[in-house]
Amino acid sequence: MTFASEHGLIFLETSAKTAHNVDEAFIKTANVIYEKIQKGLLDPSAVAGRPQPNTVRPGNPQPEKKGCC
């Protein structure tokens, strides 16, 4: 638990056998991801850590279009 705290990680003891805290672990992780997306710290269009081409990333303005199209 100390390691998780020191490195900003989520730590929650779970049991696959009894399903104890399994839902809670999933919900906590999903909430942390959602909050990071809302803050612009994660790019929701990224797949496996690689942003898709032609996407606007949080904190980067969309390039200006020039011309008529």
Side-chain angles (χ1 to χ4, degrees):
M1 186 154 154
T2 303
F3 179 85
S5 297
E6 290 174 358
H7 293 90
L9 303 173
I10 299 169
F11 177 83
L12 191 63
E13 290 188 35
T14 62
S15 171
K17 186 175 182 179
T18 66
H20 178 73
N21 276 343
V22 172
D23 288 341
E24 182 67 23
F26 176 80
I27 291 168
K28 266 189 164 182
T29 303
N31 282 332
V32 169
I33 292 169
Y34 179 76
E35 288 171 8
K36 287 185 177 185
I37 290 171
Q38 294 299 94
K39 291 178 182 177
L41 300 173
L42 287 178
D43 180 358
S45 68
V47 176
R50 292 173 283 185
Q52 299 300 307
N54 302 320
T55 59
V56 177
R57 287 158 190 75
N60 293 340
Q62 191 169 8
E64 290 182 31
K65 292 184 179 181
K66 295 181 180 177
C68 66
C69 307

